[in-house]
Amino acid sequence: MKKCMFAMVIVSALLIVCSCKNENDKKNFYDYYVIAHAGGGIDGHIYTDSLEAINESYINGARLFDIDLRFSSDSEIVLRHDWTGIDLEQPEFDYLYHVEQWSSEYHQEQMPRKYLPTAKEFKSTKIFSTYTPLSFRDVVKWLKKHKDAYMVLDVKEDAGETYSWIVYNVKDKKILDQLVVSCYDVQDLDTILKIYPFKNVMLRQHAVYPDKFEELLSNCKKYNVNAVNINLQYAEDEKIQEIKNSGIKIYWAVENDLNEYKKKYLGDGVVSDWITEDQIKGLLE
């Protein structure tokens, strides 16, 4: 009996040590190569931000997931890239094509929130009659089960309002540390970091940066940013090398051709619908 008890104590101690080791060995988000675009493609479909797409990407090695965040009419955050720009075959939402829209300063489609579906209506309407729409609360539950994953947040509406909602409703520091703030400009980043000191931050080269690489690099140093999202059109720009030499990880957006990635961007990160983390690891072995 004493021997059995002693053995059980030893096993328990080893399990605790292993558990602590695994926790300490967790990778930084920028140690991964692929950001699964809108959760990743599935069955030939892109921009679904669906549960099935995220799960399939995870199986294929992804641990970084780009997700698009918008508000529902009842002020819940749901995963949706846009309401009318991409057809996800949800006729229940066809009425939104007749609602007057405008573009934000980052060229994101906007419309009066009162016309949008509620979170319950949104979640009850399958994407392509097959895939499961998600709320941000669903994402939190998913992250609790996938502790090695990160969500890169592509905020389509007001950044201050969105991150205030997230911090107020999530509260769990471990989950907040699995989120990657992805900003279009430093004004938004200033606002966000006053709401909560997020651990993980990316800057996106978009309308506010075009080819202003000196400004982008300066802001990365100022805010201790370790990764940037850069459009493919700037791949040949000589200024890119300065960012690389500074030890900042570049994620090229959006590249879906593995051969093109291998030829032009091997070793860098990539935002992709179809290229998988496992494929890139195979190329680098």
Side-chain angles (χ1 to χ4, degrees):
M1 179 66 72
K2 289 183 178 180
K3 288 183 177 179
C4 289
M5 290 181 65
F6 180 74
M8 289 175 65
V9 170
I10 293 296
V11 169
S12 298
L14 287 172
L15 288 172
I16 291 171
V17 170
C18 289
S19 175
C20 292
K21 186 176 187 298
N22 289 338
E23 187 72 22
N24 293 333
D25 287 348
K26 181 178 178 181
K27 291 185 179 181
N28 295 308
F29 80 89
Y30 48 83
D31 291 328
Y32 296 104
Y33 292 99
V34 173
I35 300 177
H37 188 219
I42 184 167
D43 300 330
H45 301 299
I46 59 176
Y47 287 108
T48 68
D49 281 297
S50 66
L51 175 62
E52 292 79 8
I54 290 172
N55 283 338
E56 183 164 302
S57 296
Y58 187 89
I59 290 169
N60 290 325
R63 295 297 181 267
L64 272 178
F65 302 86
D66 162 67
I67 56 173
D68 302 297
L69 305 186
R70 288 185 178 273
F71 281 98
S72 62
S73 63
D74 53 345
S75 298
E76 288 288 307
I77 294 180
V78 297
L79 274 58
R80 182 81 176 201
H81 183 273
D82 59 75
W83 293 105
T84 60
I86 298 168
D87 184 10
L88 300 181
E89 294 186 8
Q90 294 170 300
E92 294 88 345
F93 301 152
D94 282 354
Y95 72 92
L96 293 173
Y97 286 94
H98 305 292
V99 176
E100 186 175 355
Q101 303 177 24
W102 69 93
S103 292
S104 72
E105 59 183 314
Y106 308 129
H107 312 305
Q108 308 291 354
E109 169 207 86
Q110 307 292 333
M111 66 176 64
R113 198 171 292 173
K114 64 182 181 180
Y115 296 110
L116 299 175
T118 64
K120 183 177 180 180
E121 290 167 341
F122 174 81
K123 289 182 60 178
S124 66
T125 307
K126 291 284 190 178
I127 298 165
F128 295 109
S129 302
T130 303
Y131 308 112
T132 306
L134 296 171
S135 70
F136 196 81
R137 296 183 193 276
D138 296 324
V139 170
V140 171
K141 293 176 184 176
W142 190 91
L143 286 172
K144 287 180 178 179
K145 296 178 181 178
H146 302 80
K147 299 182 186 302
D148 58 345
Y150 294 91
M151 293 292 170
V152 181
L153 308 184
D154 191 347
V155 172
K156 300 300 186 182
E157 298 182 25
D158 183 79
E161 181 183 12
T162 302
Y163 281 96
S164 292
W165 187 100
I166 289 171
V167 172
Y168 179 81
N169 286 282
V170 175
K171 295 185 175 69
D172 186 336
K173 182 183 182 300
K174 289 183 179 179
I175 297 299
L176 293 173
D177 283 350
Q178 288 179 263
L179 305 180
V180 181
V181 174
S182 182
C183 283
Y184 291 101
D185 66 24
V186 293
Q187 286 74 29
D188 281 347
L189 184 55
D190 279 332
T191 299
I192 293 163
L193 294 179
K194 288 175 184 175
I195 296 167
Y196 183 82
F198 284 93
K199 177 182 177 181
N200 303 308
V201 176
M202 289 182 69
L203 284 174
R204 301 168 65 97
Q205 183 200 36
H206 197 63
V208 290
Y209 281 117
D211 56 353
K212 299 177 183 177
F213 289 105
E214 291 88 353
E215 182 180 348
L216 181 60
L217 182 56
S218 174
N219 285 326
C220 285
K221 291 178 179 178
K222 178 180 177 181
Y223 291 92
N224 195 29
V225 172
N226 294 299
V228 293
N229 179 321
I230 294 184
N231 193 286
L232 293 179
Q233 72 186 84
Y234 301 112
E236 304 300 326
D237 197 300
E238 61 184 19
K239 298 286 186 180
I240 293 293
Q241 197 58 46
E242 294 180 32
I243 294 176
K244 290 186 178 183
N245 291 342
S246 297
I248 297 168
K249 182 75 164 280
I250 292 177
Y251 287 91
W252 295 101
V254 173
E255 179 59 72
N256 283 324
D257 188 318
L258 184 61
N259 288 327
E260 282 294 295
Y261 171 81
K262 182 178 179 180
K263 182 168 65 175
K264 296 181 180 178
Y265 315 112
L266 188 61
D268 293 341
V270 63
V271 183
S272 186
D273 301 296
W274 303 114
I275 296 174
T276 71
E277 186 79 19
D278 287 347
Q279 285 176 324
I280 292 182
K281 286 180 179 177
L283 292 174
L284 294 172
E285 287 177 353

